[in-house]
């Protein structure tokens, strides 16, 4: 239980920082995704084993997915197809749902420890990191094909965490 967990927002210059969701509503929040068109944010909470949403002001909070999750980590929002994608690290899978939690689907299963996910809307693919195998993978949502993009030199110490897809220059960045 993380007693000081919160979701915050600030201006780009660091001013006007404010708490949107406080520790009374969070246990161990991890991933965060925004749907700016709908004015919503979504987050994973590993402690509550849930995915929740709220307005960008922190109001209208609701739990979106509350069952079947073991350790939800990274989350992304597909602005084109209007879907959420997230990793469940301990379940070894990547799942997806509509923004309200309906139409829940397993996208990739049998992974070791998926950690972060990113959407490539132009390529209709998801990219993800896997802590256990030290890999960055791509899954083509149209053809349902999986490809290893990169592996870290030492999976034991070089576990990939964050990633970002640059659609303009056709690159994937990761830590």
């Amino acid at each position: 239980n993380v007693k000081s967990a919160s979701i915050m927002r600030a201006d780009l210059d660091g001013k006007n920082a404010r708490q949107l969701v406080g520790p009374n509503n969070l246990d161990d929040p991890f991933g965060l995704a925004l749907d700016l068109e709908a004015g919503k944010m979504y987050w994973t909470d590993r402690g509550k084993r849930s995915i929740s949403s709220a307005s960008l002001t922190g109001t209208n909070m609701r739990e979106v997915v509350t069952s079947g999750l073991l350790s939800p980590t990274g989350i992304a929002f597909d602005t084109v197809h209007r879907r959420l994608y997230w990793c469940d690290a301990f379940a070894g899978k990547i799942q997806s749902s509509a923004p309200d939690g309906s139409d829940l689907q397993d996208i990739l299963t049998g992974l070791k420890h998926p950690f972060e996910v990113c959407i490539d809307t132009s390529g209709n693919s998801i990219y993800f990191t896997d802590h256990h195998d030290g890999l960055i993978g791509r899954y083509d949502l149209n053809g349902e094909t999986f490809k290893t993009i990169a592996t870290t030199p030492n999976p034991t110490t070089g576990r990939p965490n964050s990633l970002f897809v640059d659609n303009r220059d056709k690159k994937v960045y990761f830590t």
Side-chain angles (χ1 to χ4, degrees), residues 117-150:
V117 65
C118 190
I119 305 295
D120 173 6
T121 54
S122 68
N124 201 30
S125 300
I126 57 171
Y127 287 78
F128 63 94
T129 63
D130 190 304
H131 260 188
H132 184 273
D133 291 336
L135 71 80
I136 290 81
R138 182 184 76 216
Y139 185 73
D140 178 2
L141 295 169
N142 288 332
E144 299 182 351
T145 56
F146 168 81
K147 180 178 181 182
T148 297
I149 300 300

Side-chain angles (χ1 to χ4, degrees), residues 10 29 40 52 58-59 63 85 90 100 102 124 141 156:
K40 287 186 144 187
S52 298
T59 59
E63 290 185 321
Y85 290 85
F90 292 165
D100 65 1
S102 65
N124 201 30
L141 295 169
T156 303

Side-chain angles (χ1 to χ4, degrees), residues 40 42 53 62-65 82 84 97-103:
K40 287 186 144 187
Y42 298 88
S53 71
R62 69 180 288 269
E63 290 185 321
V64 176
V65 179
R82 315 280 315 145
L84 288 167
S97 77
D100 65 1
S102 65
D103 192 29

Side-chain angles (χ1 to χ4, degrees), residues 13-80:
D13 62 4
K15 295 180 181 170
N16 299 313
R18 66 177 271 226
Q19 179 177 282
L20 301 175
V21 181
N24 291 340
N25 296 303
L26 302 168
D27 191 353
D28 187 11
F30 190 85
L32 182 67
L34 301 181
D35 175 3
L36 297 176
E37 184 179 309
K40 287 186 144 187
M41 62 180 157
Y42 298 88
W43 65 90
T44 58
D45 192 315
R46 296 185 298 182
K48 288 185 170 187
R49 297 180 179 179
S50 67
I51 295 170
S52 298
S53 71
S55 72
L56 294 176
T57 60
T59 59
N60 300 318
M61 243 182 315
R62 69 180 288 269
E63 290 185 321
V64 176
V65 179
T66 59
S67 63
L69 299 173
L70 297 179
S71 182
T73 54
I75 187 168
F77 186 76
D78 180 343
T79 58
V80 173

